């Protein structure tokens, strides 16, 4: 039984359909990567999984249980974490407070988890008392991921965690994603840096116009000349 | 929006809803005529018509442009003052004394003081550091203000003690109505200039404040308005009841207001279907795409706001003339702001016919609810006295408070259950 | 020296009193704004309501405070705070929450709050009548006179004023600790920063909204009661409070609780200084002034009847020159 499974999902914003039948499945300790052109509906798919928009058709399951259209805070209770594409930090809260908000539902574990996050993202430790809004773009991404990890999620949804980062930071983030998934967390992530992302992906989903165009393992997609031609820039 | 609700003007459906509603309203009005007599009913109709002018002012601002004006009372009072000042007889004692001259000098001094402060605020162009400029400007403004205000206080004090107040101009009353509209528009321009670029909440606070300030000024400037001593009677533009009897005089006055409303309707209709109106509707229906039309969107919003304020000033002037007494304390947020608000949101914001309907309906209910509330209060106090020993005095004012409560509840109910009013404005899609 | 004492009594003390009241009101306005994103115009009426509840309780048990040596009204404060908070939460559930669920524009929420204003005003006046009433029922206000050596005039400060200063201090420190230390307080700031992300973090936003109303309602009760205790309960209290507390919240930067405190004191002192008759202070210099300069008797900037102009003027000045407020509020 897959950890997270989406079957023929339809949905959109206020009557306008963006998703026209998307299928996805990842196991625990797997990384699933969604790639595709701008406006393909990648972010929309993540939001649909996280209950931020109404799904009009299809089903989403977590460990076999249907979670279609469950409210976000219910999903957080069930161990799902979400890092949105933008506005993914609390700018006026300090870094430490941002992390604490991630563990809002588990106040007892805050200090232990905070230490873990500082181990994963050492730059955050020095900045822990600074308002998160004053950090650099890369550091903000770290705060955003750290916040989601504070809930010890079993599924992590990441929307373009490397957007706007230098190659060094990007590789750093990918390394972290690998390490996180190795601890048994299922990661579903949207990425613009498709080649690098597919390289670490166990599963790859190529979305276009709200539908799966290709679905395969990351390596197979990288090797597929058609995918390379139309979606990975040759 | 539901795509089936798109209509081009040529294929409008038969206005059944409108006809039914107005027919029902006509029946209600006839019932009032029958039960309360024509003198009472004509008075009610004239007042309802005046309120309709106010409501049209608000429907333009709120319905067309989403600007909420919480200070209608202030514009009404300003219009009322203007119509009073222009129409009441000249106070010869005032003009025969040396007071007009002295008042003139003070007004000149005010102009001079403003010019002085303005000049001082520019001295940074002569190389004076900015902080020094600001300091000097503030000090000069303070001293100039204190000097001018003490002169003004002495002149106005003399006016009050020697000639009561400065009196009026003895001109035709419609001149005062026009100037009332212009004054209100001027204040609206200033407020709009400051607030329209900001969050819509700020406009609410600012209009609320300016209304109270206008009222405080009119109430405390005894030299100008006799303040709490009130001015009456006020002349009418038509023969007054003393000459032709109550019903005829009021019916004639009603004709005047009806002509005014017809003229406003005509103007709005023309403007609505002109390029100006199309742009206004684009702004209302889709601010984002309208913003793409460029900077002029703020100009349009400003124009709408000023136009709405002009109507409020005009309506206030007409209403005050009809009431026959200028009493600054008689302008109340409840009667002159919130009642109008209820009329607009109940009738249909942005829909002129709906607004007219709402104005008449709400005014009829309002007038008739007075006796009703009092009767209810008697009942409640009788019960309350029996059960709890609650013996409130002053039932009239308490009955009024019960109406305050009901108006508040009504606003909330309409917002919740009929946010687009009884005759909703159709909003077309522009994409 | 006498003049300085006069200045102290009529400006420093009076300004601090108004400042405390405005600050507590403005904190409520700013908190509601930062969580619910609309200007809550019924706030001044919540202050009146709180004071009215205290008045009713005091009338019912006039001697409850005697054993503690405190005015009865103070003893009744906790009960009234709970009651007003419940009313505030109830109003939110019945009137604001459905509109929020419909996703209406903030300006519609503002109009709804004006509707609530009318309802509260109508209710309070329906039961209280329109006259003023002292919160000292069968008791007398203690007035402290502090004599300084070498002057005839004493420093005058009343019991409610002392209590007001203490309560304000405690409330502000408590609020500060709550917002910076408590888990829910931090969650409140988080929600004000980014409500969507707060929800995505599992923060119970409904609880935060309830908490906001409880804090705002309690502060409103404190401020309304202490003001009424110092002067008298008037059902039209809200009329004199609305503009100043909004001016204070905007001066301080909307959504910025510390700014609201500063704004409250700024507006309070501005009002007091504007109606203060400065010629009193200049009187000792009278003999040394040149003969052509005659001091007018009234050197107040505005008469008390125009007091409302002061917060309005401050408001307009801030909107013109610095719409984000002096302390950089979040949103304009
Ligand atoms: N809040 C919204 N309301 C209405 N339409 C939206 C909204 N957000 C996105 N859309 C539309 O949905 C479509 C898909 O958007 P989505 O954000 O899912 O794209 P994406 O694949 O994430 O693109 P990108 O790579 O640029 O992030 C777009 O056409 C967009 O216009
Ligand atoms: Mg996206």
């Amino acid at each position: 039984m897959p950890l997270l499974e989406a079957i023929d999902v339809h949905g959109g914003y206020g009557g306008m359909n963006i998703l026209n039948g998307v299928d996805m499945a990842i196991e625990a300790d797997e990384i699933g990567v969604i790639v595709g052109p701008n406006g393909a509906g990648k972010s929309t798919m993540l939001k649909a999984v996280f209950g931020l928009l109404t799904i009009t058709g299809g089903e989403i399951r977590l460990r076999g249980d249907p979670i279609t259209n469950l409210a976000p805070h219910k999903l957080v209770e069930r161990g799902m974490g979400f890092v949105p594409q933008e506005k993914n930090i609390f700018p006026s809260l300090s870094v430490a407070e941002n992390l604490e908000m991630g563990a809002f539902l588990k106040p007892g574990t805050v200090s232990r988890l905070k230490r873990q996050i500082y181990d994963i993202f050492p730059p955050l430790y020095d900045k822990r008392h600074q308002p998160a809004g004053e950090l650099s773009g890369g550091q903000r991404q770290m705060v955003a991921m750290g916040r989601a990890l504070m809930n010890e999620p079993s599924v992590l949804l990441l929307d373009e965690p490397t957007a706007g980062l230098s190659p060094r930071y990007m590789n750093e983030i990918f390394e972290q994603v690998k390490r996180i998934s190795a601890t048994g967390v299922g990661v579903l992530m949207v990425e613009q840096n498709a080649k690098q992302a597919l390289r670490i992906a166990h599963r790859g989903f190529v979305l276009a116009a709200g539908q799966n165009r290709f679905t395969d393992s990351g390596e197979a997609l990288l090797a597929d000349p058609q995918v390379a031609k139309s979606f990975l820039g040759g | 929006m539901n795509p089936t609700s798109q209509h081009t003007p040529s294929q409008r459906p038969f206005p059944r809803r409108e006809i039914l509603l107005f027919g029902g309203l006509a029946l209600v009005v006839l019932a009032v005529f029958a039960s309360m007599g024509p003198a009472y009913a004509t008075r009610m109709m004239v007042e309802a018509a005046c309120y309709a002018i106010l409501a049209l002012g608000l429907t333009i601002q709120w319905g067309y442009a989403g600007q909420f004006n919480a200070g209608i009372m202030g514009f009404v009072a300003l219009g009322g003052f203007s119509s009073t000042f222009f129409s009441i007889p000249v106070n010869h004692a005032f003009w025969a004394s040396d007071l007009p001259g002295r008042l003139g000098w003070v007004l000149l001094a005010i102009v001079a003081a403003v010019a002085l402060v303005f000049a001082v605020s520019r001295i940074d162009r002569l190389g004076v550091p900015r902080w020094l400029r600001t300091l000097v400007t503030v000090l000069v403004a303070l001293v100039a203000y204190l000097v001018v205000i003490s002169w003004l206080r002495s002149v106005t004090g003399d006016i009050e003690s020697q000639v009561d107040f400065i009196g009026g101009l003895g001109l035709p009353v419609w001149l005062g109505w026009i100037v009332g509209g212009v004054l209100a528009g001027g204040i609206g321009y200033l407020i709009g200039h400051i607030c329209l670029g900001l969050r819509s909440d700020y406009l609410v606070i600012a209009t609320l404040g300016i209304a109270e300030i206008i009222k405080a000024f009119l109430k405390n400037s005894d030299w100008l308005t006799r303040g709490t001593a009130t001015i009456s009677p006020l002349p009418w533009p038509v023969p007054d009841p003393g000459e032709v009897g109550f019903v005829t005089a009021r019916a004639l006055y009603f004709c005047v207001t009806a002509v005014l409303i017809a003229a406003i309707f005509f103007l709005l209709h023309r403007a609505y279907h002109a390029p100006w109106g199309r742009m206004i509707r684009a702004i209302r229906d889709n601010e984002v795409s309208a913003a793409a039309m460029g900077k002029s969107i703020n100009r349009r919003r400003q124009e709408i706001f000023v136009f709405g304020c002009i109507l409020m000033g005009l309506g206030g002037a007409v209403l005050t003339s009809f009431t026959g007494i200028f009493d600054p304390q008689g302008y109340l947020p409840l009667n002159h702001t919130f009642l109008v608000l209820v009329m607009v949101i109940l009738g249909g914001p942005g829909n002129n016919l709906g607004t007219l309907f709402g104005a008449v309906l709400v005014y009829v209910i309002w007038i008739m609810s007075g006796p009703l509330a009092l009767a209810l209060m008697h009942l409640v106090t009788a019960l309350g006295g029996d059960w709890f020993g609650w013996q409130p005095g002053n039932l009239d004012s308490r009955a009024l408070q019960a109406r305050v409560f009901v108006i508040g509840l009504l606003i909330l109910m309409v917002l919740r259950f009929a946010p687009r009013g009884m005759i909703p404005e159709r909003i077309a899609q522009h994409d | 020296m006498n003049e300085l004492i006069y200045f102290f009594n009529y400006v420093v003390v009076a300004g601090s009193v108004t400042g405390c009241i405005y600050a507590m009101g403005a904190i409520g306005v700013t908190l509601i704004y930062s969580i619910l994103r609309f200007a809550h115009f019924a706030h001044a009426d919540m202050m009146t309501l709180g004071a009215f509840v205290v008045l009713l309780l005091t009338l019912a048990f006039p001697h409850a405070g005697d054993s503690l040596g405190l005015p009865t009204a103070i003893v009744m404060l906790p009960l009234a705070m709970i009651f007003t908070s419940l009313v505030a939460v109830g109003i939110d559930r019945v009137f604001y929450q459905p509109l929020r669920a419909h996703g209406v524009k903030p300006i519609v929420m503002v109009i709804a709050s004006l509707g609530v204003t009318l309802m509260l005003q109508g209710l309070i006046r329906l039961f209280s009548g329109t006259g003023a009433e002292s919160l000292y029922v069968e008791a007398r206000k203690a007035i402290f006179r502090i004599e300084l050596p070498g002057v005839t005039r004493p420093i005058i400060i009343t019991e409610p004023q002392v209590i007001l200063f203490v309560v304000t201090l405690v409330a502000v420190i408590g609020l500060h600790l709550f917002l910076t230390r408590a888990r829910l307080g931090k969650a409140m700031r988080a929600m004000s920063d980014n409500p969507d992300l707060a929800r995505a973090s599992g923060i119970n936003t409904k609880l935060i909204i309830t908490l906001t109303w409880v804090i705002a309602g309690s502060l409103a009760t404190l401020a309304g009661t202490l003001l009424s205790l110092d002067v008298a309960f008037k059902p039209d209290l809200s009329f004199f409070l609305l503009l100043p507390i909004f001016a204070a919240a905007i001066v301080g930067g909307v959504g910025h609780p510390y700014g609201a405190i500063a704004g409250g004191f700024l507006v309070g002192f501005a009002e007091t200084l504007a109606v203060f008759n400065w010629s009193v202070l200049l009187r000792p210099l009278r003999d040394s002034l040149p003969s052509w300069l005659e001091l007018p008797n009234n050197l107040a900037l505005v008469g008390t009847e125009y007091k409302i102009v002061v917060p309005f003027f401050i408001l307009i000045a801030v909107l013109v020159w610095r719409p984000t407020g002096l302390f950089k509020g979040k949103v304009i």
Side-chain angles (χ1 to χ4, degrees):
Chain A
M1 181 177 37
L3 173 69
L4 180 71
E5 195 177 10
I7 304 158
D8 195 26
V9 170
H10 291 254
Y13 306 94
M16 197 171 33
N17 258 348
I18 307 291
L19 304 174
N20 308 302
V22 182
D23 295 289
M24 264 169 211
I26 53 166
E27 304 283 341
D29 76 22
E30 276 190 346
I31 301 174
V33 170
I34 309 176
V35 297
N38 293 119
K42 305 181 298 290
S43 299
T44 308
M45 182 59 198
L46 281 198
K47 288 188 212 159
V49 172
F50 197 64
L52 290 170
L53 67 103
T54 319
I55 294 170
T56 52
E59 194 169 39
I60 297 176
R61 295 187 191 144
L62 185 64
R63 293 191 201 85
D65 300 333
I67 55 163
T68 319
N69 290 332
L70 229 53
H73 65 266
K74 290 271 159 57
L75 294 169
V76 176
E77 281 168 24
R78 291 181 180 221
M80 202 181 273
F82 175 49
V83 179
Q85 181 169 359
E86 44 201 15
K87 295 199 190 149
N88 50 20
I89 55 163
F90 300 113
S92 79
L93 268 61
S94 71
V95 170
E97 286 169 336
N98 264 275
L99 297 182
E100 287 164 34
M101 286 305 109
F104 185 80
L105 293 172
K106 300 178 174 174
T109 58
V110 167
S111 44
R112 175 174 61 83
L113 287 172
K114 257 201 295 201
R115 245 173 288 130
Q116 274 182 21
I117 303 292
Y118 293 143
D119 284 344
I120 302 178
F121 302 113
L124 295 190
Y125 183 75
D126 304 325
K127 305 265 179 189
R128 64 189 181 283
H129 296 304
Q130 207 167 324
E134 293 175 3
L135 301 186
S136 78
Q139 292 163 339
R140 283 184 212 203
Q141 276 309 340
M142 295 181 196
V143 173
M145 268 175 68
R147 195 213 90 247
L149 288 173
M150 286 291 287
N151 191 36
E152 300 190 289
S154 52
V155 187
L156 192 57
L157 310 176
L158 303 175
D159 198 344
E160 303 200 15
T162 64
L165 297 193
S166 68
R168 215 199 90 214
Y169 264 135
M170 181 178 81
N171 288 330
E172 184 72 22
I173 295 269
F174 283 154
E175 282 309 308
Q176 290 306 340
V177 170
K178 260 163 63 182
R179 234 168 284 161
I180 291 162
S181 105
T183 62
V185 177
V187 178
L188 185 58
M189 117 176 135
V190 172
E191 256 309 326
Q192 286 300 355
N193 301 304
K195 278 187 193 164
Q196 293 89 329
L198 285 175
R199 230 166 265 150
I200 63 163
H202 303 95
R203 311 253 161 190
F205 311 95
V206 183
L207 280 198
Q211 276 178 318
N212 290 54
R213 193 58 63 82
F214 300 94
T215 308
D216 211 328
S217 71
E219 290 154 41
L221 286 178
L222 278 173
D224 187 328
Q226 256 195 305
V227 175
K229 191 162 143 261
S230 6
F231 295 105
L232 304 180
Chain B
M1 256 336 97
N2 183 349
T4 56
S5 71
Q6 292 187 25
H7 297 283
T8 54
S10 56
Q11 42 177 217
R12 267 182 180 241
F14 183 69
R16 212 180 60 188
R17 187 192 186 95
E18 282 85 344
I19 289 179
L20 275 179
L21 286 173
F22 273 95
L25 185 61
L27 285 182
V28 171
V29 171
L30 281 181
V32 176
F33 263 91
S35 62
M36 308 297 283
Y40 184 92
T42 41
R43 195 194 89 203
M44 182 186 79
M45 285 313 290
V46 176
E47 284 165 359
C50 298
Y51 270 92
I53 300 178
L54 303 180
L56 283 171
L58 183 64
T59 215
I60 293 173
Q61 295 176 339
W62 169 236
Y64 289 15
Q67 303 156 347
F68 181 55
N69 183 341
I72 304 172
M73 176 191 84
F75 299 100
V76 169
L78 210 57
F81 166 69
S82 166
S83 74
T84 306
F85 181 66
F86 272 77
S87 62
I88 58 170
V90 176
N91 182 353
H92 294 289
F94 168 70
W95 292 102
S97 65
D98 67 333
L99 292 166
R102 285 175 58 199
L103 193 60
W105 278 115
V106 173
L107 294 183
L108 268 184
I110 291 175
V111 173
V114 170
L116 177 70
V117 172
F118 183 74
V120 171
S121 75
R122 289 298 162 101
I123 54 171
D124 54 328
R125 304 213 169 166
L126 305 176
V128 179
R130 294 192 62 153
W131 65 267
L132 189 63
R133 178 226 30 191
T134 310
L135 186 74
V136 172
T137 309
V138 169
L139 280 179
V140 169
L142 209 63
V143 171
Y145 169 82
L146 279 175
V147 169
V148 171
I149 206 82
S150 71
W151 285 346
L152 186 67
R153 274 174 191 157
S154 92
V155 176
T156 57
D158 287 350
I159 292 177
E160 281 162 26
S161 59
Q162 293 171 25
V163 297
D164 189 15
F165 79 125
I166 66 174
L169 298 179
L171 294 170
V173 60
W174 52 266
L175 214 63
W177 293 359
I178 294 175
V179 175
V182 172
L183 278 180
I187 298 278
Y189 176 81
L190 291 179
I191 292 284
H193 189 71
I194 293 169
C195 296
L196 283 184
L198 305 169
R199 276 185 59 93
S200 42
D201 321 27
Y202 290 175
L203 183 68
V204 181
I205 306 169
T207 46
L208 210 72
I210 198 79
E212 290 303 339
I213 288 172
I214 290 173
K215 183 174 162 182
F217 174 74
L218 293 178
K219 192 173 92 184
N220 292 305
S221 301
D222 289 15
W223 60 278
L224 188 62
T225 66
R226 295 186 77 206
T228 48
T230 74
I231 303 174
S232 65
L234 307 182
W236 284 11
V238 293
D240 58 51
E243 298 166 46
V244 294
F246 273 112
V247 178
T248 319
R250 286 173 182 172
L252 284 173
Y253 204 107
F254 180 74
C255 293
V256 173
T257 55
V259 168
L260 276 176
I261 292 178
I264 294 167
F265 255 73
F266 176 73
L267 270 178
L268 286 179
H269 186 81
R270 283 286 299 271
Y272 204 67
H273 293 286
W276 185 84
R278 274 200 292 281
M279 176 143 185
I280 301 294
R281 276 175 286 163
I283 294 174
R284 173 192 67 186
D285 300 344
N286 190 340
E287 192 131 344
V288 184
S289 77
M293 295 183 191
K295 267 182 75 179
S296 56
I297 172 169
N298 263 342
R299 284 279 299 279
R300 297 290 95 79
R301 292 165 60 95
Q302 174 88 354
E303 285 163 11
I304 294 178
F305 188 70
V306 171
F307 188 45
C309 291
I310 289 177
L311 289 188
M312 291 169 187
L314 176 69
V318 179
L319 181 65
T320 307
S321 287
F322 179 73
T323 318
I325 179 167
F326 179 74
D327 174 12
Q329 277 181 301
Y331 296 106
L332 302 171
L334 180 72
N335 300 23
H336 297 99
T337 297
F338 294 111
L339 199 59
V340 181
L341 170 65
V342 174
M343 291 168 176
V344 170
I345 59 175
L346 190 79
N351 184 314
N352 301 339
L353 264 188
T355 303
L356 189 64
F357 173 81
V360 178
L361 178 72
V362 171
Y363 197 73
V364 172
I365 297 177
W366 171 254
I367 283 293
M368 304 312 285
S369 74
L372 198 72
L374 197 59
L376 224 94
M377 274 308 290
H378 277 290
L379 185 72
V380 170
T381 44
L383 292 180
D386 288 349
W387 294 347
F388 309 110
W390 187 49
Q391 295 289 6
N394 212 353
L395 279 187
D396 276 355
S397 85
R398 284 182 204 253
L400 180 72
Q401 300 311 326
R403 288 162 91 192
V404 176
F405 176 84
V406 171
I407 288 284
L409 190 64
L410 201 60
I411 291 177
L412 289 161
M413 290 296 134
V414 175
L415 287 182
R416 171 102 164 72
F417 297 107
R420 293 174 56 215
M422 314 230 335
I423 304 183
E425 173 68 359
R426 293 190 190 83
I427 296 186
Q429 304 243 299
H430 291 263
D431 52 16
Chain C
M1 220 24 222
N2 267 328
E3 283 75 18
L4 275 183
I5 301 279
Y6 186 86
F7 183 79
F8 185 86
N9 284 341
Y10 283 86
V11 173
V12 179
V13 173
S16 311
V17 168
T18 357
C20 287
I21 305 283
Y22 292 169
M24 279 197 271
I27 291 173
V29 167
T30 236
L31 280 183
I32 294 173
Y33 186 88
S34 63
I35 298 297
L36 298 165
R37 299 290 143 117
F38 76 100
H40 185 236
F41 276 83
H43 202 72
D45 295 279
M46 274 171 39
M47 296 164 88
T48 320
L49 176 72
F52 183 56
V53 174
V54 169
L55 173 67
L56 290 185
L57 287 171
T58 312
L59 285 172
F61 310 99
H63 295 289
D66 295 358
S67 57
L68 291 171
L70 284 171
T72 307
I74 299 297
V75 180
M76 293 303 174
L77 260 178
L79 270 181
M81 281 159 76
I82 293 172
F83 181 84
T84 313
S85 303
L86 285 179
V87 170
V89 173
I91 288 175
D92 181 68
R93 285 292 138 79
V94 177
F95 297 118
Y96 299 144
Q97 153 69 34
L99 290 177
R100 267 204 304 279
H102 274 269
V104 300
K105 288 189 187 144
I107 187 74
V108 175
M109 299 295 288
V110 170
I111 297 182
S113 75
L114 288 169
V116 170
T117 303
L118 295 182
M119 286 178 62
L120 288 178
Q121 270 179 15
L123 269 189
I124 294 172
R125 289 186 208 176
L126 183 62
F127 289 108
S128 77
T130 42
E133 214 153 333
S134 172
L135 279 191
Y136 280 91
V137 180
E138 299 180 27
R140 290 202 32 223
K141 192 187 296 187
I143 296 174
F144 308 114
R145 284 168 222 279
I146 303 164
E147 309 272 354
L148 293 185
V151 277
T152 47
R153 232 177 229 286
I155 290 179
I156 298 177
I157 192 161
T158 65
E159 183 185 25
Q161 289 170 344
V162 176
I163 298 174
L164 173 67
F165 296 143
V166 174
V167 167
T168 309
L169 200 67
V170 171
V172 165
I173 292 174
L175 185 74
H176 172 75
L177 290 179
F178 173 74
L179 287 176
T180 52
R181 301 282 160 85
R183 174 168 153 267
L184 281 175
K186 290 178 195 172
M188 211 160 146
R189 281 162 54 216
M191 189 170 161
S192 127
D193 257 17
N194 190 339
D196 291 329
L197 193 64
R199 229 163 281 134
S201 306
I203 292 174
N204 184 345
T205 47
K206 217 170 166 183
L207 176 68
I208 303 290
I209 290 174
T210 307
L211 197 66
T212 308
W213 286 113
V214 169
I215 295 176
S218 304
L219 286 177
T221 310
L222 283 179
T225 307
L226 290 165
L227 179 62
S228 309
L229 199 61
D230 189 30
V231 193
F233 172 79
K234 286 186 229 115
D236 57 354
L237 211 59
S238 64
F239 173 81
F240 300 97
L241 289 171
L242 184 62
L243 211 52
I245 60 178
F246 271 91
I250 291 173
V251 169
V254 185
H256 200 303
Y258 307 114
I261 299 168
F265 278 92
L266 194 126
V267 174
F269 271 99
E271 263 185 14
T272 320
L273 288 173
V275 296
F276 181 70
N277 186 357
W278 291 93
S279 67
V280 175
L281 277 196
L282 299 178
R283 220 163 272 158
L285 307 176
R286 195 168 28 194
D287 302 332
S288 47
L289 283 180
S291 55
W292 53 267
L293 190 64
E294 184 189 344
L295 265 187
N297 269 331
N298 185 356
L299 256 184
L301 288 180
V302 297
T304 37
E305 70 273 23
Y306 290 119
K307 212 170 165 180
I308 191 172
V309 174
V310 179
F312 184 78
F313 184 76
I314 295 176
L315 184 79
I316 292 295
V318 170
L319 291 188
V320 169
W321 281 297
R322 223 180 145 101
T324 50
L326 300 183
F327 300 91
K328 282 263 151 90
K330 276 190 208 90
V331 219
I332 50 164

